[in-house]
Amino acid sequence: RYIMNFKEWLILTEIAQPTKELKSSTLYHGTPKKSGYQGILDHGLKFDSDLVAQKYKGQENFAPMPGVYLTKEFGNAVRYGFMSEVSDEQYQEYVNKEPLGYVFEFSGEDLSGVSPDEDELGGFLEKLVKTKNLTPNLKKLVDSIPQEIKTKLEQPEPSFESYAIAGKWAVNKLSDPTMQYLMKRYSNVVNYGNIKPNAVWIIPKPKERFLRDRQGTFNTFDGYLNYAKKYGKRHTL
């Protein structure tokens, strides 16, 4: 039985170089708390192993890979800038304490080693597992997936946890060309190194939660983008 542990996720042997498309992109990272905003201003955006270990203690499958997450989608970063774990009843009190969301802009020129987001990697593996008549190389990759992970991906609707586990396994198994192909196709990347922002959006959080989907989290990235551009202010750093 294959069991992935936290230490395995911290050992990455194959990290791809940024594609030309990524290096010419503007990338974003959202944070909902003033402390996170101040930390990025002071130190740049870098992986904090102690914070991750504390936050995901007992939930290792959901812990991020040892890098910082960036997105090409401004609206997605705004969504992260508005995120909270409080109940609806506690939301107003939370917004009174943390009234602002923050979205930092970064230049793709400053990226170092990168990989796709593990959730997107997991979704890629799901498609391979559920596809017949694969090329020999892709079939070899699918055959190498641990059976416990493959079984999770074979479900009609794999869980978020299943994608996360599969993606963390895949990051050390895919070739550089495959990783670069996926980074062109998907919107989120993980950067393995410190990166400094060149601008920040400061956005008042909505007084009530909005843009709910069936899972209660968000609807469209465009909705967040439009809200931020209407109410937020961009500051060059």
Side-chain angles (χ1 to χ4, degrees), residues 23-233:
K23 290 184 77 68
S24 64
S25 297
T26 297
L27 299 156
Y28 304 93
H29 178 91
T31 183
K33 294 186 177 181
K34 189 173 182 179
S35 58
Y37 158 77
Q38 194 62 52
I40 295 171
L41 279 184
D42 293 343
H43 307 294
L45 185 62
K46 61 182 179 179
F47 183 73
D48 186 333
S49 58
D50 292 336
L51 179 64
V52 169
Q54 179 181 3
K55 183 175 180 180
Y56 293 93
K57 187 176 182 180
Q59 303 181 68
E60 291 180 346
N61 289 344
F62 293 99
M65 295 189 290
V68 292
Y69 288 66
L70 299 159
T71 179
K72 303 172 194 174
E73 295 278 358
F74 179 67
N76 191 18
V78 176
R79 177 172 71 92
Y80 276 92
F82 290 172
M83 276 189 173
S84 68
E85 298 178 355
V86 302
S87 66
D88 286 348
E89 292 75 18
Q90 297 171 314
Y91 180 74
Q92 189 59 60
E93 181 181 354
Y94 162 75
V95 171
N96 290 340
K97 292 179 179 178
E98 293 280 359
L100 302 173
Y102 311 90
V103 174
F104 286 91
E105 291 184 11
F106 300 85
S107 170
E109 289 289 341
D110 297 327
L111 293 170
S112 48
V114 290
S115 75
D117 179 294
E118 71 263 34
D119 302 331
E120 293 173 338
L121 282 174
F124 172 69
L125 289 187
E126 179 200 8
K127 291 178 181 178
L128 294 186
V129 166
K130 293 179 177 177
T131 298
K132 297 180 180 180
N133 302 319
L134 293 170
T135 64
N137 283 343
L138 290 178
K139 185 178 185 304
K140 183 178 179 180
L141 172 64
V142 169
D143 289 342
S144 72
I145 299 173
Q147 187 57 50
E148 182 181 10
I149 294 177
K150 195 182 300 183
T151 299
K152 292 177 184 294
L153 295 177
E154 288 170 341
Q155 300 303 308
E157 294 187 11
S159 66
F160 172 78
E161 181 180 22
S162 298
Y163 288 135
I165 293 171
K168 290 182 177 76
W169 175 84
V171 75
N172 277 320
K173 307 299 179 182
L174 300 181
S175 66
D176 279 9
T178 301
M179 298 274 264
Q180 291 179 339
Y181 163 76
L182 292 172
M183 284 186 283
K184 289 181 180 179
R185 182 176 178 181
Y186 295 121
S187 63
N188 302 325
V189 298
V190 184
N191 186 61
Y192 300 90
N194 194 3
I195 187 168
K196 301 282 188 177
N198 52 35
V200 62
W201 286 78
I202 300 178
I203 312 157
K205 289 175 182 167
K207 296 299 181 184
E208 296 180 359
R209 284 174 167 163
F210 73 121
L211 299 177
R212 299 287 185 132
D213 69 357
R214 61 187 176 84
Q215 296 176 328
T217 52
F218 69 99
N219 188 345
T220 65
F221 293 158
D222 283 348
Y224 285 94
L225 181 152
N226 293 335
Y227 180 94
K229 291 198 170 180
K230 183 176 181 179
Y231 298 108
K233 291 185 178 181

